[in-house]
Amino acid sequence: MISPTFQFNADELASALGGIKPLDLLERELSDPAEPPELAGRLTPWLGPTAGTGPAPTDLLLLEDLHLGVGYLLPGSTLRECRTAALVGLVARQLVPPGGVTAAIVGPARTGQALLMTVAHHMPGVRRVVLCPAEGTATVVGQWVLDEIDLAGIGLSVVGIVGKAVLGAKLVVVTGEPAGQLEIGQLDRGAVVVNATGRDLPDDLVGAVEEVYVDTPALVGRGPDQNFRRIRPRIDADLGAVCRGTHSGRANPDHVLLVELLSANTLDIPLGCLLSRAAVDRNLGIRLGGW
């Protein structure tokens, strides 16, 4: 086992999204899932000592970068959030109409920082973001994220009612739980709804969409709850086929699309390696020794 060399907190790992090209990484992965990843690594839970004065995250992982022979300690929840954010960016690249669009993010604020960093650096078509925190959660976005959004020239607002938050939005990202109690309301024609909750969205919303996409078709119906059984007969294409060009994407510019992110909860080792290397390049984290 490689000893840990650097330790990153959630903010440091999410901020490193601005120093890599995560959409390109996931596009290659989804386009050819059989192709071995360029970045090899290994993830294991970490129960050893940590640096810093505050409590260590309960989901701290050791990521061993096998190419560099370096170990990184990082929070697994943030790595999942970074993959979710990159998948949302890829959906926007492939399926959201071009131009200055509004994006609505519905869900806990903790999942929003990686998404906002992705919007600021990798989603040039988004000019306004509306945050709608899930009920009972605080709207906490770090000043460093707000600065990145401001530098990108993107407007940011917070709305407490989901139906109002999605008005005029061409991209609606749902990360909150329980998704079944969300009242999305009327969506704009041509809007793309991205479900990153891991659960089924409300029946009225699923029934109102004209096209359904998934990121990883092999995951449909898997797991103890067999989520997304309702969408299986309705799947039009997977995101990888759109990236490869074997599917042309949306059939009609006015159609409302639903994209189910089935792999959003994956601990993405290649992405973790890229993020950790970028964090080191930015002088982030705590150096623990070695290297």
Side-chain angles (χ1 to χ4, degrees), residues 3 39 54 57 92 94 144 149 163 186 213 242 258 262:
S3 298
L39 299 164
Q94 297 292 342
W144 60 274
I149 287 290
Q186 186 66 40
Y213 294 74
V242 178
L258 171 62
L262 308 185

Side-chain angles (χ1 to χ4, degrees), residues 35-229:
E35 180 71 19
E38 298 175 4
L39 299 164
R42 181 168 54 234
L43 274 171
T44 53
W46 181 254
L47 302 176
T50 60
T53 56
T58 56
D59 65 339
L60 201 63
L61 302 173
L62 171 62
L63 172 60
E64 300 173 70
D65 188 328
L66 301 181
H67 283 291
L68 296 182
V70 179
Y72 310 105
L73 294 183
L74 48 86
S77 57
T78 308
L79 181 55
R80 291 185 173 96
E81 290 160 14
C82 288
R83 178 179 174 87
T84 298
L87 284 169
V88 170
L90 188 56
V91 169
R93 174 188 285 181
Q94 297 292 342
L95 297 173
V96 174
V101 304
T102 295
I105 300 174
V106 180
R110 63 175 174 79
T111 64
Q113 300 208 135
L115 273 170
L116 289 174
M117 280 294 292
T118 303
V119 168
H121 289 273
H122 307 295
M123 297 167 64
V126 175
R127 304 318 309 158
R128 179 171 175 261
V129 175
V130 182
L131 298 179
C132 185
E135 184 178 356
T137 65
T139 305
V140 180
V141 177
Q143 185 60 49
W144 60 274
V145 182
L146 299 178
D147 291 342
E148 296 282 352
I149 287 290
D150 186 57
L151 285 171
I154 298 170
L156 179 66
S157 58
V158 179
V159 176
I161 300 174
V162 177
K164 290 184 177 180
V166 304
L167 285 177
K170 291 300 185 185
L171 175 64
V172 178
V173 185
V174 185
T175 66
E177 294 183 8
Q181 296 179 9
L182 290 172
E183 296 182 2
I184 297 291
Q186 186 66 40
L187 291 164
D188 263 27
R189 300 308 303 166
V192 177
V193 180
V194 181
N195 181 16
T197 66
R199 299 187 180 190
D200 286 316
L201 289 176
D203 289 339
D204 57 346
L205 172 59
V206 176
V209 303
E210 284 97 352
E211 300 177 47
V212 178
Y213 294 74
V214 296
D215 61 330
T216 311
L219 296 180
V220 175
R222 289 180 54 181
D225 298 326
Q226 291 193 337
N227 293 333
F228 313 112
R229 284 175 292 182

Side-chain angles (χ1 to χ4, degrees), residues 241-288:
V242 178
C243 293
R244 288 191 300 272
T246 55
H247 189 278
S248 60
R250 60 166 63 240
N252 187 304
D254 288 332
H255 279 182
V256 176
L257 276 55
L258 171 62
V259 182
E260 299 281 3
L261 298 185
L262 308 185
S263 71
N265 204 39
T266 301
L267 287 167
D268 191 324
I269 290 176
L271 179 61
C273 288
L274 277 184
L275 288 169
S276 298
R277 293 177 184 183
V280 171
D281 290 341
R282 292 179 166 213
N283 295 315
L284 299 174
I286 300 173
R287 185 166 181 163
L288 304 177

